[in-house]
């Protein structure tokens, strides 16, 4: 496969198609070539990384096994390593990436659909703190917004939850698959189509999980609460938790557990979050409009 890439190499919202493997290959070639040859400025490189992450997610959702994906990535990196930095083909492909970026740079919002809930990304400038990348979740009568929030350039991983019975959680923890203990995602589909698999069956057993305790707790500001919700609690998780979440398979789920103490002891309320295109949305936030 050569380097004659289409102008859609960076921004292609509909990558969940039969061409997802080709798109992933092309974007990986250019990402690797950029790392070696310094082809792009920082915003263009970030745009390309966002596109690569989105294509990777589409390939996995299409059912491509991880061994095949790794082989495609290895072949792409080898292609980039063997292509001279002054190659006409490479320079033509780089020019097309820059051309595609001209339109992509103007986008301030993206919607990344999922099986159950989308990730909504917003990188518009502004002085107030707000959601940059969010997924809304209902669990029982409770509600949660989870994702990255902050002012320009500050994207903390937060869970903001409201509880209609006015109970106050004293702590929260984020549970996800431990990549050091597992070889890949845990998808307990039992013959069902993975796209219809409940999120609770996309999280591995406790022995294969890792947990990140929230670093801080506070009353949630109205700017981060859903419009119709008057009060709630905000929990901030460590930055390394966001990096670990971005590295997961898009078909997986993570869970946020809120811990309550009462006269009877401790109780837990759990909310599930679809991993989906979190990595692509996180990369999108790093693209600064010129």
């Amino acid at each position: 496969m050569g380097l004659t890439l289409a102008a859609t190499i960076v921004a292609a919202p509909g990558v969940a198609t039969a061409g997802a493997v080709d798109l992933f290959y092309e974007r990986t070639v250019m990402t690797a070539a950029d790392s070696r040859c310094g082809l792009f400025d920082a915003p263009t490189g970030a745009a390309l990384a966002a596109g690569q992450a989105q294509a990777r997610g589409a390939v996995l959702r299409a059912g491509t096994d991880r061994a095949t994906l790794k082989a495609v990535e290895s072949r792409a990196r080898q292609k980039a390593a063997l292509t001279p930095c002054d190659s006409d083909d490479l320079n033509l492909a780089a020019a097309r990436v820059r051309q595609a970026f001209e339109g992509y740079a103007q986008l301030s919002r993206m919607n990344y659909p999922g099986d159950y809930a989308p990730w909504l990304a917003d990188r518009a400038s502004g002085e107030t703190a707000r959601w940059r990348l969010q997924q809304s979740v209902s669990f029982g009568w409770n509600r949660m917004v989870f994702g990255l929030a902050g002012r320009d350039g500050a994207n903390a991983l937060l869970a903001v939850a409201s509880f209609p019975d006015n109970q106050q959680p004293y702590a929260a923890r984020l549970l996800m698959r431990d990549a050091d203990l597992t070889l890949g995602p845990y998808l307990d589909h039992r013959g069902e189509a993975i796209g219809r698999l409940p999120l609770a069956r996309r999280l591995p057993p406790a022995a294969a999980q890792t947990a990140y305790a929230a670093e801080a707790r506070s009353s949630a500001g109205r700017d981060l609460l859903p419009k119709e919700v008057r009060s709630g609690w905000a929990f901030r998780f460590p930055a390394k938790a966001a990096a670990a979440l971005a590295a997961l398979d898009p078909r997986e789920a993570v869970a946020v557990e809120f811990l309550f103490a009462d006269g009877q002891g401790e109780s837990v309320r759990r909310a599930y979050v679809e991993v989906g295109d979190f990595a692509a949305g996180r990369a999108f936030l790093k693209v600064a409009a010129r």
Side-chain angles (χ1 to χ4, degrees):
M1 191 176 296
L3 291 172
T4 53
L5 311 184
T8 55
I9 188 170
V10 174
V15 296
T17 66
V21 172
D22 290 346
L23 282 171
F24 177 70
Y25 173 88
E26 293 169 349
R27 293 170 181 179
T28 303
V29 169
M30 295 308 296
T31 299
D34 178 41
S35 178
R36 187 168 68 90
C37 302
L39 299 174
F40 309 118
D41 57 18
T44 306
L48 185 59
Q52 183 196 28
Q54 191 177 7
R56 177 182 180 274
V59 170
L60 290 169
R61 284 195 191 92
T64 303
D65 63 84
R66 297 177 70 85
T68 299
L69 181 66
K70 186 175 181 179
V72 171
E73 183 174 10
S74 177
R75 192 168 70 249
R77 294 189 181 281
Q78 183 178 27
K79 177 67 176 179
L82 295 176
T83 302
C85 291
D86 59 356
S87 162
D88 290 342
D89 277 352
L90 183 59
N91 288 328
L92 176 61
R96 288 177 173 169
V97 171
R98 296 187 193 98
Q99 181 183 15
F101 174 72
E102 292 297 329
Y104 189 80
Q106 305 308 313
L107 297 176
S108 60
R109 294 176 176 84
M110 286 284 283
N111 182 326
Y112 297 92
D115 292 333
Y116 287 91
W119 284 104
L120 304 179
D122 181 357
R123 62 180 184 84
S125 60
E127 296 182 357
T128 60
R130 66 184 186 284
W131 286 107
R132 299 299 213 168
L133 182 64
Q134 62 169 302
Q135 186 176 132
S136 297
V137 177
S138 294
F139 55 115
W141 294 101
N142 314 296
R143 296 184 60 185
M144 178 183 74
V145 183
F146 178 83
L148 301 174
R151 296 179 175 82
D152 286 350
N155 296 313
L157 185 63
L158 300 180
V160 174
S162 61
F163 306 94
D165 57 2
N166 295 319
Q167 292 297 303
Q168 299 181 9
Y170 71 87
R173 58 193 176 214
L174 175 61
L175 306 177
M176 66 180 73
R177 177 174 60 86
D178 190 331
D180 293 332
L181 297 178
T182 56
L183 297 177
Y186 177 87
L187 303 171
D188 183 17
H189 56 86
R190 304 176 195 172
E192 295 182 48
I194 291 178
R196 296 195 296 270
L197 189 65
L199 295 182
R201 285 162 55 189
R202 303 184 186 205
L203 185 69
Q209 295 175 8
T210 186
Y212 295 90
E215 295 178 322
R217 183 195 80 148
S218 65
S219 296
R222 294 295 298 272
D223 47 357
L224 297 181
L225 287 167
K227 291 182 180 179
E228 66 276 16
V229 175
R230 294 182 177 275
S231 64
W233 292 92
F235 292 87
R236 188 186 75 235
F237 297 97
K240 62 182 179 181
L245 176 57
L248 293 176
D249 188 295
R251 297 168 294 178
E252 293 186 76
V254 300
V256 180
E257 290 188 336
F258 299 96
L259 311 181
F260 300 83
D262 52 37
Q264 306 301 318
E266 184 177 270
S267 62
V268 177
R269 301 183 192 182
R270 174 180 284 196
Y272 290 95
V273 176
E274 183 178 352
V275 173
D277 278 326
F278 177 82
R282 183 170 176 248
F284 174 76
L285 297 180
K286 298 177 182 180
V287 182
R290 291 184 295 187

